[in-house]
Amino acid sequence: VTKPLRIVLCGFGNVGREVYRLLCDESPRLERLGFSPVVVGIITRSRGHVYVPTGITSEHLQMLAPKDSAAVCTTRLIEQMSADVVVEMTPLDVFSAKDVMSHARAALTSGKHVVCANKGAIAWGYDELSALASAKARLFLFECCVMDGAPIFAMVRNCLPAARILKFEGVLNSTSNYVLDKMLEGVSMEEAITMAKRAGFAESDPRLDIDGWDSAAKIAALANVFMHARINPLEVVRQGITQITCEQVQAAARGAMRIRLVASAVQRQRDVLCEVKPCRVAHSSLFGSVNHTSSVLSITTDLMGNISIVEHDPGLLQTAYGVLRDIIEVASFNK
Amino acid sequence: VTKPLRIVLCGFGNVGREVYRLLCDESPRLERLGFSPVVVGIITRSRGHVYVPTGITSEHLQMLAPKDSAAVCTTRLIEQMSADVVVEMTPLDVFSAKDVMSHARAALTSGKHVVCANKGAIAWGYDELSALASAKARLFLFECCVMDGAPIFAMVRNCLPAARILKFEGVLNSTSNYVLDKMLEGVSMEEAITMAKRAGFAESDPRLDIDGWDSAAKIAALANVFMHARINPLEVVRQGITQITCEQVQAAARGAMRIRLVASAVQRQRDVLCEVKPCRVAHSSLFGSVNHTSSVLSITTDLMGNISIVEHDPGLLQTAYGVLRDIIEVASFNK
């Protein structure tokens, strides 16, 4: 007999629906890992919520519909639903993360593990939430925040013991990378942004991608976790790609170069310097090889030298897998 | 008080000495992780052995000197030394792995964990040794066999749960990659091999690199661990770079291509197809970006799509770190 793991999904947009589907479709595989996922609660912003202790089926999903009445307070719902883990998948607010923080706090305080897909929580409140999680002996996991399902946090946590991270840099924003690739083909930035929106990987406000805010949130999140930097996205030295022209992209290409929006963090004597800016890189370099929506993170350590992880053309499934990975870790902790 | 971990080093060449140095120099870091490494035994092929239950110091190392008398049997030494873990670092025999297998067997049978830096063990006997390890409730680890310290085995084991590996491919042999890069500069293959030997990263018989045997052993090892393939290096479809000419390398470069020795494994209906062969890849592709002694492994999974790990310009320290990583895992199991 496998142990049930009671899950609340907070946020039910594209990622939330894909996580739900994955938990349903892959439950035989998860049972072989020793647990049965049971989605007991779904909380949405504008379509109400549903709570079914025996597990939400597709019929119950019909109950989610646009509501006229004032929304019930999300943090209260999180506290009241009886569950093992809350998966936070509400939209990112790069400038404050107030909501995601209060959701995570409510979950941890009421004794639930937290799997967080919203990078705001670690870009703004990693120290507080990880301390709260240890005080409550709960897990606070956030694998898919930066590179979808590519297990960068888990790898550093589990696979690089004793090594110190000295610096890291990456191409972390799909939309900017895609837009720069399109500009090379002569497509205007505005047009390329529209294409990225249509393809579904741009932020709801794509300016947050293009201005470097998404990368700034990601590099702050990584620096907080890897280097205890206590930095927030506003403190990242940030320059987006808005000033880049098609001519510049094409001139670079004639010199066998590419322009990439590079995010980096370096450990200095007393603090961590985090930066986001467009850089010219050789087309034949690792960063130059990362096209379209792919992303890369290069990590330099003292004992292990330099290793990189590349995620190729991620889609919704990969993001949902990042969430699933964390849910599996919760289940194995919960045994 | 930290718990001592008693270590036997079997093999004391370049890697063995670097591991010994790392264990001495970094012991404060390891103590913070909860254990004190104590190297109690060193076994060499031609310079005898030394066993000091309180820990081997640099003075004891003087005792290792060329011996006239017949060598004491290594497996007997492994069995008799009282220790927690044996680190196997004897030279690779790609064609049989008889010695490394008997060393690993002796260690496991006498209740010791095994950390293996010799890929022969997993290319030839993964199933047997992992079954023996579980029967004895000991660990059998081998992180540095394929990509030095880049934690590919640990990542798949710990960070990609529930995902099935469908195929993988990589550029895994430093010498071949370095030689192909030098040939692009007009250096002859023979000369480039000599340079690789002088730089210290070629196999003692560099033909094993150039003929694709080292890559074949690595891809067999990976296929055995990731796909339960039960394949050995002789069963890998293998073509080395011996037939490649400077002209071919340069003609490829004129077309913005590079030649790389690519090792691959694909899960088929009933078996796994493993192959090593020179391939033309775009210079601006991921594999094209991997220069000199760097290496790359790309893994395709069903749930996580495609991720790659790149190790940049590894040296002896990275290989030794791969061993250290496994020793830390043993120590945390041993708690």
Side-chain angles (χ1 to χ4, degrees):
Chain A
V1 231
T2 56
K3 193 171 172 184
L5 185 80
R6 298 162 305 154
I7 302 166
V8 170
L9 306 180
C10 180
F12 202 59
N14 290 336
V15 176
R17 282 192 293 270
E18 181 72 359
V19 168
Y20 180 80
R21 185 196 68 74
L22 205 52
L23 288 168
C24 296
D25 290 1
E26 302 302 342
S27 73
R29 250 192 247 206
L30 302 177
E31 278 168 21
R32 281 196 294 277
L33 293 177
F35 74 103
S36 314
V38 185
V39 178
V40 295
I42 295 178
I43 305 172
T44 76
R45 190 151 45 166
S46 54
R47 290 174 298 137
H49 66 274
V50 48
Y51 176 69
V52 182
T54 54
I56 293 169
T57 63
S58 50
E59 279 176 22
H60 298 119
L61 292 184
Q62 313 295 331
M63 294 159 64
L64 296 172
K67 294 282 186 290
D68 283 336
S69 59
V72 186
C73 171
T74 302
T75 53
R76 187 154 312 156
L77 288 170
I78 291 174
E79 282 161 4
Q80 288 173 350
M81 289 181 179
S82 180
D84 300 302
V85 55
V86 172
V87 182
E88 218 301 319
M89 295 175 289
T90 60
L92 173 67
D93 176 358
V94 80
F95 300 112
S96 89
K98 201 171 135 285
D99 286 352
V100 61
M101 292 287 296
S102 67
H103 300 165
R105 254 184 235 118
L108 292 168
T109 311
S110 60
K112 301 170 182 89
H113 303 282
V114 171
V115 171
C116 190
N118 181 325
K119 58 184 132 335
I122 41 175
W124 285 93
Y126 172 68
D127 269 26
E128 183 201 321
L129 293 174
S130 57
L132 180 58
S134 2
K136 296 285 177 182
R138 299 290 95 174
L139 295 177
F140 170 51
L141 301 170
F142 36 76
E143 191 56 84
C144 79
C145 283
V146 172
M147 263 174 85
D148 309 301
I152 48 176
F153 291 110
M155 192 191 77
V156 168
R157 198 167 55 233
N158 301 327
C159 307
L160 293 175
R164 274 185 214 115
I165 296 184
L166 307 176
K167 63 176 186 173
F168 54 89
E169 54 177 357
V171 176
L172 300 174
N173 181 256
S174 293
T175 303
S176 299
N177 214 45
Y178 175 87
V179 165
L180 290 167
D181 273 3
K182 284 290 157 197
M183 286 166 74
L184 179 58
E185 298 168 16
V187 177
S188 76
M189 186 178 288
E190 284 312 314
E191 224 176 308
I193 291 171
T194 309
M195 292 163 78
K197 259 190 114 157
R198 209 178 302 137
F201 52 80
E203 293 286 329
S204 52
D205 175 3
R207 286 286 142 199
L208 295 176
D209 294 310
I210 301 302
D211 282 342
W213 281 114
D214 176 74
S215 295
K218 285 174 173 165
I219 207 77
L222 290 166
N224 288 338
V225 178
F226 291 166
M227 294 173 166
H228 306 287
R230 295 164 176 264
I231 195 172
N232 73 50
L234 303 178
E235 294 163 329
V236 173
V237 178
R238 181 188 48 80
Q239 184 189 338
I241 60 167
T242 38
Q243 304 302 315
I244 305 287
T245 63
C246 282
E247 289 64 40
Q248 285 173 317
V249 173
Q250 290 163 358
R254 283 192 296 276
M257 308 288 280
R258 288 289 181 274
I259 297 177
R260 296 280 180 249
L261 185 60
V262 174
S264 64
V266 185
Q267 183 81 60
R268 296 191 301 190
Q269 207 65 25
R270 287 162 171 279
D271 60 358
V272 175
L273 175 66
C274 290
E275 215 172 350
V276 172
K277 66 176 182 204
C279 294
R280 284 163 54 97
V281 301
H283 191 199
S284 61
S285 67
L286 175 61
F287 283 17
S289 79
V290 172
N291 293 319
H292 306 296
T293 61
S294 298
S295 55
V296 58
L297 181 69
S298 279
I299 301 176
T300 303
T301 69
D302 59 347
L303 297 182
M304 203 1 250
N306 187 351
I307 56 172
S308 301
I309 298 198
V310 181
E311 182 185 35
H312 301 273
D313 301 316
L316 219 43
L317 175 60
Q318 276 83 335
T319 308
Y321 177 76
V323 170
L324 183 67
R325 203 216 71 80
D326 285 349
I327 289 175
I328 294 170
E329 187 164 336
V330 167
S332 102
F333 180 92
N334 207 40
K335 254 179 195 167
Chain B
V1 234
T2 57
K3 192 169 172 184
L5 185 81
R6 296 163 307 154
I7 301 165
V8 170
L9 305 180
C10 179
F12 202 60
N14 290 336
V15 175
R17 283 191 293 270
E18 182 71 359
V19 168
Y20 179 79
R21 185 196 68 74
L22 205 52
L23 289 169
C24 296
D25 290 1
E26 302 302 342
S27 72
R29 250 192 246 207
L30 302 177
E31 279 168 22
R32 281 196 296 275
L33 294 177
F35 74 103
S36 313
V38 184
V39 178
V40 295
I42 295 177
I43 304 172
T44 76
R45 188 150 48 165
S46 55
R47 290 174 299 136
H49 66 274
V50 48
Y51 176 69
V52 183
T54 54
I56 292 169
T57 63
S58 50
E59 278 176 21
H60 299 118
L61 292 183
Q62 314 295 329
M63 293 159 63
L64 296 172
K67 295 282 185 292
D68 283 337
S69 60
V72 187
C73 171
T74 301
T75 53
R76 186 155 313 159
L77 288 171
I78 289 174
E79 281 161 5
Q80 289 174 348
M81 289 182 179
S82 179
D84 300 302
V85 54
V86 172
V87 183
E88 220 294 343
M89 295 174 289
T90 60
L92 173 68
D93 176 358
V94 81
F95 301 110
S96 90
K98 199 171 137 286
D99 285 351
V100 62
M101 292 288 295
S102 69
H103 300 165
R105 253 183 236 118
L108 291 169
T109 311
S110 59
K112 300 170 182 89
H113 302 283
V114 171
V115 171
C116 191
N118 182 325
K119 59 184 132 332
I122 43 176
W124 283 94
Y126 172 69
D127 269 25
E128 182 201 322
L129 293 174
S130 57
L132 180 57
S134 9
K136 295 284 177 183
R138 300 289 97 176
L139 296 177
F140 170 52
L141 300 170
F142 37 76
E143 190 57 82
C144 79
C145 284
V146 173
M147 263 175 85
D148 310 299
I152 48 176
F153 292 110
M155 192 190 77
V156 168
R157 197 165 57 232
N158 301 325
C159 307
L160 293 175
R164 272 185 216 116
I165 295 184
L166 307 176
K167 64 176 184 170
F168 54 87
E169 55 177 356
V171 177
L172 300 173
N173 181 256
S174 293
T175 303
S176 299
N177 215 44
Y178 174 88
V179 164
L180 289 167
D181 272 2
K182 285 289 157 198
M183 286 166 72
L184 179 58
E185 299 168 15
V187 177
S188 76
M189 186 178 287
E190 284 312 313
E191 223 176 309
I193 292 171
T194 310
M195 291 164 79
K197 260 191 114 156
R198 210 179 300 137
F201 52 81
E203 292 287 327
S204 52
D205 175 4
R207 285 286 140 200
L208 295 177
D209 293 310
I210 300 303
D211 282 342
W213 282 113
D214 175 73
S215 294
K218 285 175 174 166
I219 207 76
L222 289 167
N224 288 338
V225 178
F226 291 165
M227 295 172 165
H228 307 287
R230 296 166 176 263
I231 194 172
N232 72 50
L234 303 178
E235 294 162 328
V236 174
V237 178
R238 182 189 49 80
Q239 185 189 339
I241 60 167
T242 38
Q243 305 302 316
I244 305 287
T245 63
C246 281
E247 288 64 39
Q248 285 172 316
V249 173
Q250 289 163 359
R254 283 192 296 277
M257 307 290 280
R258 289 288 182 276
I259 297 176
R260 297 280 180 249
L261 185 61
V262 174
S264 64
V266 186
Q267 184 80 60
R268 295 191 301 191
Q269 209 63 26
R270 290 164 168 276
D271 60 355
V272 176
L273 174 66
C274 291
E275 215 173 349
V276 172
K277 66 176 180 203
C279 293
R280 284 163 54 97
V281 300
H283 190 199
S284 61
S285 67
L286 176 61
F287 283 18
S289 79
V290 172
N291 293 319
H292 305 296
T293 60
S294 297
S295 55
V296 59
L297 181 68
S298 278
I299 301 176
T300 303
T301 68
D302 60 347
L303 297 183
M304 201 3 248
N306 186 351
I307 55 172
S308 302
I309 298 197
V310 181
E311 181 184 38
H312 302 274
D313 301 316
L316 219 44
L317 175 59
Q318 276 83 334
T319 308
Y321 177 77
V323 170
L324 183 67
R325 203 216 70 80
D326 285 348
I327 290 175
I328 294 170
E329 187 163 336
V330 166
S332 99
F333 180 92
N334 206 41
K335 253 179 197 169

